[in-house]
Each structure stands twice: as C-alpha cells, then as structure tokens.
Amino acid sequence: MQEQKDVAIVGSGLVGSLLAIFLRKRGHKVTVFDRRPDVRKVEFSGRSINLAMSNRGWRALREVGIEDEIRKLALPLDKRAMHVEGQEVYFQKYGEDGEAIYSISRGILNRKMIDLAENAGAVFRFEEKVWDVDMQNARLYTGESEKSPWQEYQFDLIFGADGAFSRIRHKMQRQSRFNYSQHFIDVGYKELTILPNEDGSHKLDNSSFHIWPRGEFMLIAMPNLNGSFTCTLFLPFEGDISFESIKTEKDADAFFESYFPDIKGEISNLKKEFFKNPTSAMVTIKCFPWSYYDKITLVGDSAHAIVPFYGQGMNAGFEDIYVLDQKMEKYGNDWQQIFEEYQTERKPNGDAIAELSYRNFLEMSSKTADPMFLLRKKIEKKFASDHPELWTPLYSRVTFSDKAYSEALQIGDRQRAIMDEIMEMPDIAKNWNSPQVQNRIIDLLKE
Amino acid sequence: MQEQKDVAIVGSGLVGSLLAIFLRKRGHKVTVFDRRPDVRKVEFSGRSINLAMSNRGWRALREVGIEDEIRKLALPLDKRAMHVEGQEVYFQKYGEDGEAIYSISRGILNRKMIDLAENAGAVFRFEEKVWDVDMQNARLYTGESEKSPWQEYQFDLIFGADGAFSRIRHKMQRQSRFNYSQHFIDVGYKELTILPNEDGSHKLDNSSFHIWPRGEFMLIAMPNLNGSFTCTLFLPFEGDISFESIKTEKDADAFFESYFPDIKGEISNLKKEFFKNPTSAMVTIKCFPWSYYDKITLVGDSAHAIVPFYGQGMNAGFEDIYVLDQKMEKYGNDWQQIFEEYQTERKPNGDAIAELSYRNFLEMSSKTADPMFLLRKKIEKKFASDHPELWTPLYSRVTFSDKAYSEALQIGDRQRAIMDEIMEMPDIAKNWNSPQVQNRIIDLLKE
C-alpha cells in the first residue's frame, strides 16, 4: 500500500479523469482542476474528432474495472470503407477476425469518465484556472486571470493532464535543459456530421471507418450510437483547395459536390456545419523531462501531443496511466523513482507514436488511393496471413497489441525496407501472389 | 526614405544595439528595453564565451559605418593552435593569407555598441522588465514583476532582440500554428581565464585560437587585448568526467593537471574560477514564423539560438540586421513585406547555421585529434589550394564569405560525400598527395 497523498490533477479530460480513478483506487486524495466548465453541463464544442479506442485503451480501463461500462458507449469498426473517386466503395479489414477499433464520441466518453471519477471520490474544480505552479513545493495558483489575485493550493503531488497547451509544461519549459518542440502541420480539420436516417439508422455501414482519400485532403466518418456519423474534414489551411479558399456557400457546394458525390444528400447539413464549426490546427509536441523530482509529472497530450492519424492519442495517454500505475505498484512511496522510470519508459514510446502518426497523415490522405501502395498492402497481408509467426503488420502491432510503440516503429521500418525491395521485383504487379515473392520476403527477413 | 516610426527594441545585447544604430540611421525613433542593468555599469558575469567576429559581422558593421571603431577592440586569429595530448602544439591555418577571425570580449563589445547606439540617438531603458506584448497593437507592458502593476507603451513596431529565452517569442509561441523547438546539449560550459604575464604580454600565441581537444570535452582559449585569454571549458554535465564529478579543489587539481599539462602554471587561477563562475547550458532554438504582420519581428538569438561551436552566433545575428536593412531599402514603408521577406530569406539560413554549429560541436571535441580526420582535412586543403575554383572549404564558406549559410551546408554535404569516397581509396594515407586522388575528386565533382 502507498501512503495517502494529497494529489492535484490539472485537466479533466480523458487522461486526467482516468488518472483520478486510478489514484482514488490507491487511496489518494484527488482534486482535479479544469479551466473549462464541466463538460457534462455544456454543449459539445464542434471541434472534436471521434475516438478510436483500441487495445491499449481497453487494457487501462480493464485494469481499473471500467471497461464494460465504456464498451456500452462504443461501436466496433472492423474495417476501413474506402470511398475512392470514381470507384465503388471497397473494404479493408483491420486485422484478424474479432479485431476491431471502437468508435466513441469524445464528449460522451469524457462525461462518463468524470462521472466515474466522481463516484470514485475525486473532487472536480471546474472553471478554476491554474496560472502558475511552484514546482519545488508542489503548489498551484489559480484565479480569474493572470493579473487577478490568486488562490494558493498546497499538494504533495501534481499531475499535468492539461493537454497539448499545458500550463504545467509551460512552466517546466522555462527550466534550463528542458527540451521541447511544437510542430504544426499545414493541414487543419473541421468536425462535420452525417445525420441519421429518419428511422434512426446509419446512412453508411456502421461497422466501418469511412475514408474519402483525395490526395491533399480527405474526409473521414465514424459512426455514433445515435445513428449519426461524426465526420472530420482534413484540408490544407491555405492553397488552391483549402479552408482559406472555401469562402462562400457556393464554394462549399462546389467542393462537396465535386469531391464527395456519394454523400451528396448530406451537403446542406455539411455546409451549414462547415461555416458554423471552428477550423482547428494539429500539432506534434515533444518534450523531456516529463517529471520534476518527486513532485510533478506530465501525462497524455501534455507530454506527447500527436497528430490524430493513427487514432492513438487517447490510447497512448491511457497507456501512460497504466504504466504509471505499474510503477506505483513497484516502487510504493518512492515517487521520484516512480516518475523517473515512468518517463524513461514512456518517452521513446511517445516519440515513436508521434512519428507513426505523422507518417500515417501522409499515408492516409494520398497513398490509400495509390494502386502500388494497395498492391504493397496486399502482398504484406497475404504474407502475414500465410506466415503469421513471421510478419505482424505495423497497424496491428500498434492497434491490437500492447508491445511498445518504439518496437512497432523499429520493426515497421524493417518491414518497409523489405517491402521496398519486393516492390522492385520484376513484374511484381503480375507475380505478387507467387512463391518467389514469399520466398524473397523470407530471405530478406533472415538478413 | 521611410516614414519615421516609433520603434521598440527589446534587448540591449549585441544584435539589439546594432539594430538600434541601423534604425536611427533611417531616422526612426528608437527605445531599447532591457531587464538587466546597463552592462557599462556592472562587472561582467563570468559566463561569456569570447566572440569570433568574421566576415558577416564585419559587413554589417561596415554598412553602418562602425567597422573601424570595433576593429580597435579585436585581435585577429589566423589559425588554430592544437594542443593535442602527448604532442607538440601544432597550427592549422583558417584560410588564405590575410583571412582571420577576430577575438573580441563580449562585454567590451556590448558596452561599445551601446555607446554607439546612444550617440546615434537611441534611448535605452535598462532594468525595465517587459512582461507582456499586445501583438496586434504593438504594445509593451513592463513592471517590477509579472504580478505588479504594469506600465503600458504604445509603439508602431517592436523588435524582439531579447535572446534565446526571449519574452517576445514566448508570447508568439502561444499562437496556433507557431512552430518552435528548444534542444539542449548534454555538455555545459564555464568561463575561465589565463592571466597575462607580469609584463602584460600573452602567455600563449596571441594570433591563434587555442584548442585542447579531449574527446568528450575540450578547452578553448581566445586572446584579449589586455594580455589575458578568455578560456571556455566545455564538459558534460554528468558522467565520469563532468561538471558533476568535479566537486572539490582536489578533483579540480587532478583534472587540470592530467588533461592540460601545458598550462599547469595556470591551475590555481583556473581552479578558483572553476568554483566561482557559473556553469551554463547550451541550446539550439528554432521557430517560425519570426514575424507578426507589420508589427513585430524577431532578430538574432530570439529567432535562432545556436550552439557556439562555429563562432557564428553573433555573426548570424548581425547578418539578420544587414538583411533586414536591405529589405527596408527595398520596400520602404511596407513593413509587412519587409518582415515577410526578411523571415523567408533568413529562416533557412538560421536552420543551416544551427545544423553546422551542432556538427562542429561533435567535430571540435572529438575529431580534431583523429589522424584520419586530419588526413581528410589535409587532402581537402591541398585540393582547394590547387583548384580554388573547384573547392572552397566549408569553414571558409561559412566564415570568410557572405554567401548563404544554407548554400554552405548544401555544398558542404556534397563535399563530405565526396571525401567519404576518397577516404575509402586504397592506401589513402600513403597516396593522399597523388594525382589519382585529385583526379578522383574532379571526377566526383562532375557527377
């Protein structure tokens, strides 16, 4: 058993709420601060991308006994539905039979997680803005504004779960020898909705993750329990076809009609939301160290914000908490050791999933419609299915396993180099299914 | 002629002072803020590395008519003096006859630059701390502390010349789509001094840049006008031989005696300063954009802090000002265009000199004592001297030319690839001076 600590968590998002549940289970006193209002009492922001819960996320929820509750909010998606221009929709299975990612609305999940954390005894202080932290003494300062009088709180431990633009990390960043980077991509996103049919059913297949790849941009759609789909339009901020270039209703009509003819019936709603919902930016954030002695540590996006193209942001954050809990189990009251080993183990994994997510951004938008890329995937898939002991596809390693992300990246790079050679084989498009190809892969794997 | 603007410069360092002189020359009203006291009225901090003024720096000073004044403060160094363990000192010329870098004390230069800027009519407000900037309205807020009452200043333009830990950039960083990174190296530095002889003369050759390369660490020394040398000890923060491991006077004695026997007579002073002077960290900072519309731009370290191993930090900052002035000449009152073209031109050069400086960190400490590395340099030098039209060494391109840093990096990479091949030639150590080697380089240059 750990000695009871008085703990602050800054941020009541998914990772902060989950951490609250874990810490309550270990008997700590938990206060969660959030500068925003209680998400259970406000309308959703219209700037969310649906979540894809996968293996790592479920494992963390299971550990703390709330997996079943959350499953009720989720829809399993076992395949991609590809809406390629000028072709019929086709499907790509994600993994083995029974393997799926789970679509959940961020807002609905967050409300539920806060309920569960409150039921477990965590205290939430919404609309209370943290402006400063005294790192050496684990004190938080909150108030109306940076210049207003502040309230001081004394804690034993402080967790920064306050997201990509973390105030806690912002303070840590002023330390000497704190490494930090924030890198925005030139593509933004906007949430849109495909409404349910009148009978409440889904308008598209509801066990698929839908993608309309269009080269420089793409639309995706994930089903909700209420029959709607949450769509996300990823589009360059500037340029010929961009958020900047779509200024009028007429521009939007032309855009949706020419690029998304198979959801033409949805345009009036898509268009309305296009002008109502905000355009958001996407950023990769890396930093180190994540911890300050036995006082403070960062979890989730505040330590490693990533672009959303692998669907692993929440999963990586939940895995942080799972690992942190393992370290608590291992080191008891030695919080410095807990934080030290947590950050040492998680940092390379945070970097790896950041890299994989960034690569998937390139892959999903442009390559998923490229015949050579599809051929490559087909060869890989065939080989993996014939030789499962020799080849686990990268996507499965990331999504359906709990092996380290850094290992997935490393093995994925090796597989890519092998497939680069395979794709150079003469007449590969014709011979892809031949024994020569499989034997060549086996030889290359031995090198 | 430009319309007169009311301009604030934040930071009275070298780049801020130079900018003040340029802007006064164009008739603008200039106020320079600095949170520190007037450097002319305080003792130096003991945390400085002597500067090496080279071509780019001189060009900027010449443009504004202060080159001759500054030359009086500088000592030309036309070569490296290599103090390799177990060998006699040997010398490596930097460039052609007449080419040299110029050793100047940072503190002495800064005092002079502020004098010159004041004489030109700039107003300096020392010990006035800028805490916030209203970017849209070009307003600065200063005060005793972040929480004290603030004074508001309204300007037309604001320049952030406030160094690696720039407050202006700190504010810009909170914008969406602002890319930023700070990366610290694991080596720190400490200023030390070799005192003059009793007759005021230098104890070591005073037209050389002295280097004691020791693998993981190194000592350098640059002469001052008063007969002393400003030394810089570069040493890992942690590890077997590190700042952390040298705890007592006895540790320091053992360290200096075993690694720097040829300056044994200096140990008592080196040791005294070792424990008196602070240990400083080194950081590479990159960001973009550097400007905010027609209101704000960053110059020098605030835009592109680099590690000091190429001696180009100040030179790069002075070149920023030179380029900015060219854009003012070109675009007159269109400040948005001035800032836009300035940042577009300078950003790749800032990135390039950051990369080159980081590589030189690796090269200076470890490779300068490696025989194969020295052979490579010898071959390059011979070829450059026989074929000056075909080969300008990278160091000369960076230090003695005013061609873009980005071009130097690119051509340097090509030269490196060529030399990699040359070093693979059979018996290269024996045949290095043969026509075959030179012909092979010529062939490779044609590829």
Side-chain angles (χ1 to χ4, degrees), chain A residues 23-48:
Chain A
L23 290 172
R24 281 299 302 149
K25 207 178 160 200
R26 290 195 173 272
H28 300 295
K29 195 170 162 232
V30 177
T31 310
V32 184
F33 291 85
D34 204 304
R35 54 178 52 226
R36 295 162 307 180
D38 187 342
V39 69
R40 296 168 300 184
K41 294 177 184 163
V42 294
E43 255 198 275
F44 295 139
S45 66
R47 55 184 300 152
S48 173

Side-chain angles (χ1 to χ4, degrees), chain B residues 178-424:
Chain B
F178 185 80
N179 290 330
Y180 175 75
S181 71
Q182 61 184 45
H183 175 79
F184 286 85
I185 58 176
D186 289 332
V187 167
Y189 73 88
K190 194 183 278 284
E191 181 184 320
L192 302 170
T193 313
I194 293 177
L195 297 171
N197 288 315
E198 282 188 15
D199 65 359
S201 61
H202 288 91
K203 282 189 181 136
L204 301 167
D205 180 79
N206 69 1
S207 58
S208 295
F209 182 105
H210 294 266
I211 308 184
W212 290 257
R214 295 294 180 266
E216 300 292 298
F217 60 96
M218 72 171 167
L219 181 72
I220 64 169
M222 295 173 80
N224 296 312
L225 288 172
N226 69 359
S228 67
F229 281 83
T230 300
C231 305
T232 312
L233 176 64
F234 296 98
L235 187 66
F237 283 106
E238 293 93 15
D240 282 350
I241 304 169
S242 67
F243 282 115
E244 195 188 52
S245 77
I246 303 172
K247 291 197 178 74
T248 64
E249 300 236 329
K250 217 176 126 196
D251 296 339
D253 274 334
F255 173 71
F256 286 114
E257 269 177 35
S258 66
Y259 292 109
F260 310 106
D262 63 344
I263 47 169
K264 209 167 175 163
E266 302 305 310
I267 289 179
S268 78
N269 188 54
L270 294 174
K271 198 171 61 179
K272 195 183 80 193
E273 290 191 326
F274 186 91
F275 291 105
K276 189 183 120 203
N277 286 347
T279 304
S280 301
M282 286 170 283
V283 66
T284 301
I285 290 178
K286 296 180 181 174
C287 67
F288 202 78
W290 293 358
S291 302
Y292 184 84
Y293 297 95
D294 58 349
K295 294 289 186 270
I296 295 175
T297 202
L298 304 174
V299 293
D301 284 359
S302 69
H304 50 76
I306 60 180
V307 294
F309 302 94
Y310 227 116
Q312 287 293 312
M314 169 191 59
N315 288 290
F318 280 15
E319 198 174 55
D320 286 347
I321 305 305
Y322 181 88
V323 169
L324 199 46
D325 187 67
Q326 286 184 319
K327 304 306 170 198
M328 292 186 223
E329 187 63 32
K330 191 167 165 195
Y331 294 111
N333 296 316
D334 187 348
W335 284 93
Q336 184 157 348
Q337 187 65 26
I338 290 167
F339 288 168
E340 182 59 36
E341 211 171 289
Y342 155 73
Q343 71 175 1
T344 305
E345 179 173 330
R346 291 304 288 164
K347 170 64 175 167
N349 291 315
D351 287 348
I353 193 59
E355 175 64 22
L356 288 164
S357 302
Y358 184 74
R359 290 187 192 174
N360 240 27
F361 155 56
L362 305 172
E363 186 171 310
M364 281 180 82
S365 57
S366 53
K367 292 197 198 147
T368 41
D370 167 2
M372 287 313 275
F373 178 78
L374 295 174
L375 174 61
R376 174 191 281 254
K377 289 284 160 197
K378 199 159 70 173
I379 297 170
E380 264 194 72
K381 193 168 179 172
K382 170 82 173 121
F383 186 79
S385 139
D386 292 352
H387 304 278
E389 76 292 357
L390 292 180
W391 195 282
T392 304
L394 177 57
Y395 186 88
S396 297
R397 215 176 272 276
V398 170
T399 309
F400 302 125
S401 94
D402 46 30
K403 293 290 181 60
Y405 287 128
S406 57
E407 187 187 300
L409 175 61
Q410 197 182 9
I411 297 174
D413 279 347
R414 179 136 183 266
Q415 290 179 336
R416 190 169 57 162
I418 289 172
M419 288 308 298
D420 285 348
E421 293 213 30
I422 296 299
M423 296 306 286
E424 296 292 313

Side-chain angles (χ1 to χ4, degrees), chain A residues 379 425-438:
Chain A
I379 297 171
M425 287 175 74
D427 290 321
I428 183 68
K430 209 174 71 196
N431 304 332
W432 73 272
N433 204 9
S434 65
Q436 289 93 308
V437 168
Q438 294 225 353

